[in-house]
């Protein structure tokens, strides 16, 4: 019977770390046309590491300490990478920390206003033309570059790289063989997004704000069923908007609560496993 096939599909999933919240979710997953992936924490490990510190004024050690003071208290993965690299000891006095969502952070360090942000946002107040080539080279290596500014003076470029999950490339190839279109959606810049996406053999849309991701999901839905997979609080609206929202295990509770399914193993392969489980289950019913 239908309920029996669905129940056994859901429990077969649970045994393999694929948590499916009900029959409709199980049914829908197998017939999605497009799967949109958040990049950070979903396709990548979310263990970003500082790879390059380029001081434009002062020493490497000094700019790193200032950068860490600005990022202190921010829960953004880029912030954690910078604080970790600098060490929490002997940071200059900083206050008035503010996040600029999707763009960066600001703080007052030793009485002077500082900012760390994407080059795009930084170039609204500072002249980065002399550093543009170096920024692009780092981005083409799949690194995210942020700029430290003191008022409108650039003090440093900091490059951070988050490695793709070990199974991501194979999992994307598997999805393609199942006839599904896999697209990366990222707030990161175009060059970094393209470098990572092309290494995984998938399409990408970059430089997206949370509302852009939502709009893209809506547009994709005009052409067929869409699944979205993400891990963060900022992914929750897109998870809710998609036909099937999938939370990556190890992500935030908000993503888990909003999603129709969750991958308890921290692997990308779980997505194609879900798809195959759904198709098998629905095949048993027909
Ligand atoms: P994603 O979609 O990859 O999770 P976000 O929307 O969180 O990215 O951030 C987009 C961009 O904004 C980052 O790539 C970075 O350039 C900048 N940014 C956001 N928060 C910070 C921060 N705390 N420190 C430095 N840069 C930041
Ligand atoms: Mg994320």
């Amino acid at each position: 019977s239908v309920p029996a096939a669905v129940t056994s599909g859901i429990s077969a999933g649970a045994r393999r770390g694929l948590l499916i919240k009900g029959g409709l979710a199980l049914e829908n997953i197998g017939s999605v046309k497009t799967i949109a992936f958040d990049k950070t924490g979903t396709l990548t490990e979310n263990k970003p590491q500082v790879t390059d510190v380029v001081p434009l004024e002062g020493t490497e050690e000094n700019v790193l300490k200032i950068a860490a003071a600005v990022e202190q208290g921010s829960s953004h993965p880029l912030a954690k990478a910078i604080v970790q690299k600098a060490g929490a000891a002997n940071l200059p006095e900083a206050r008035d920390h503010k996040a600029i969502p999707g763009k960066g952070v600001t703080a007052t360090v030793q009485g002077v206003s500082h900012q760390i942000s994407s080059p795009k946002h930084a170039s609204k107040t500072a002249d980065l033309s002399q550093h543009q080539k170096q920024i692009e080279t780092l981005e083409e290596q799949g690194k995210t570059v942020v700029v430290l500014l003191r008022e409108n003076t650039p003090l440093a470029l900091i490059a951070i790289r988050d490695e793709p999950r070990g199974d991501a490339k194979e999992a994307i190839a598997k999805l393609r063989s199942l006839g599904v279109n896999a697209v990366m959606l990222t707030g990161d810049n175009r060059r970094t997004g393209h470098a990572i996406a092309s290494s995984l053999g998938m399409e990408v849309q970059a430089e997206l704000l949370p509302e852009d991701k939502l709009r893209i999901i809506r547009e994709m839905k005009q052409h067929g069923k869409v699944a979205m997979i993400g891990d963060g609080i900022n992914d929750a609206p897109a998870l809710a908007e998609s036909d099937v929202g999938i939370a990556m295990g190890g992500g935030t509770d908000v993503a888990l609560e909003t999603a129709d399914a969750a991958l308890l193993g921290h692997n990308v392969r779980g997505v194609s496993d879900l798809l195959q489980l759904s198709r098998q289950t629905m095949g048993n019913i027909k």
Side-chain angles (χ1 to χ4, degrees):
S1 73
V2 173
V6 168
T7 306
S8 80
I10 290 175
S11 42
R15 283 193 296 275
R16 290 148 62 189
L18 314 171
L19 210 71
I20 306 159
K21 299 192 200 163
L24 189 61
L26 179 62
E27 183 181 332
N28 277 338
I29 292 164
S31 58
V32 297
K33 188 167 178 199
T34 305
I35 303 187
F37 289 82
D38 160 57
K39 177 172 72 66
T40 311
T42 301
L43 288 167
T44 65
E45 289 179 329
N46 208 7
K47 291 177 191 154
Q49 304 280 335
V50 173
T51 54
D52 307 77
V53 178
V54 184
L56 306 173
E57 202 188 288
T59 65
E60 177 174 334
E61 194 190 340
N62 192 37
V63 292
L64 249 181
K65 293 281 183 205
I66 299 170
V70 176
E71 293 283 15
Q72 221 163 38
S74 165
S75 58
H76 199 281
L78 296 177
K80 289 186 182 159
I82 290 170
V83 173
Q84 187 196 347
K85 177 78 176 178
N90 304 321
L91 299 186
E93 175 274 321
R95 58 192 156 81
D96 303 334
H97 294 84
K98 280 190 199 74
I100 323 165
K103 293 174 181 166
V105 282
T106 58
T108 302
V109 181
Q110 293 175 326
V112 185
S113 148
H114 285 68
Q115 174 183 304
I116 302 182
S117 69
S118 63
K120 188 177 171 184
H121 188 69
S123 64
K124 287 177 187 163
T125 49
D127 178 13
L128 299 178
S129 54
Q130 287 180 62
H131 313 296
Q132 195 53 37
K133 189 78 204 72
Q134 191 162 21
I135 292 170
E136 289 176 12
T137 302
L138 291 164
E139 290 176 344
E140 280 157 9
Q141 295 165 358
K143 296 167 183 170
T144 300
V145 179
V146 294
V147 183
L148 170 65
L149 300 181
R150 182 189 60 225
E151 295 181 321
N152 43 24
T153 305
L155 296 187
L157 308 179
I158 301 175
I160 295 144
R161 188 170 151 97
D162 186 18
E163 293 301 323
R165 292 185 190 273
D167 74 333
K169 188 176 180 182
E170 189 192 323
I172 298 301
K174 178 78 191 175
L175 286 175
R176 199 177 317 108
S177 79
L178 292 168
V180 176
N181 194 18
V183 185
M184 175 194 289
L185 303 182
T186 180
D188 216 332
N189 83 88
R190 194 165 36 86
R191 275 176 293 270
T192 310
H194 276 267
I196 304 280
S198 72
S199 78
L200 298 178
M202 67 193 302
E203 293 174 44
V204 60
Q205 300 225 38
E207 301 186 7
L208 303 176
L209 296 173
E211 61 264 32
D212 297 324
K213 294 188 186 179
L214 211 57
R215 174 180 48 79
I216 289 167
I217 300 277
R218 285 198 194 108
E219 283 167 11
M220 286 170 169
K221 279 168 73 179
Q222 310 280 311
H223 307 286
K225 259 183 219 165
V226 176
M228 162 80 197
I229 164 157
D231 69 324
I233 295 175
N234 55 349
D235 297 321
L239 292 178
E241 180 65 34
S242 62
D243 297 296
V244 188
I246 304 172
M248 183 56 111
T252 56
D253 291 349
V254 180
L256 279 174
E257 280 161 23
T258 312
D260 302 296
L263 308 178
L264 301 187
H266 302 191
N267 54 19
V268 186
R269 186 55 191 261
V271 182
S272 55
D273 290 347
L274 261 181
L275 207 96
Q276 284 181 300
L277 179 65
S278 167
R279 288 185 183 176
Q280 247 162 33
T281 305
M282 299 323 287
N284 289 344
I285 290 170
K286 277 165 202 154

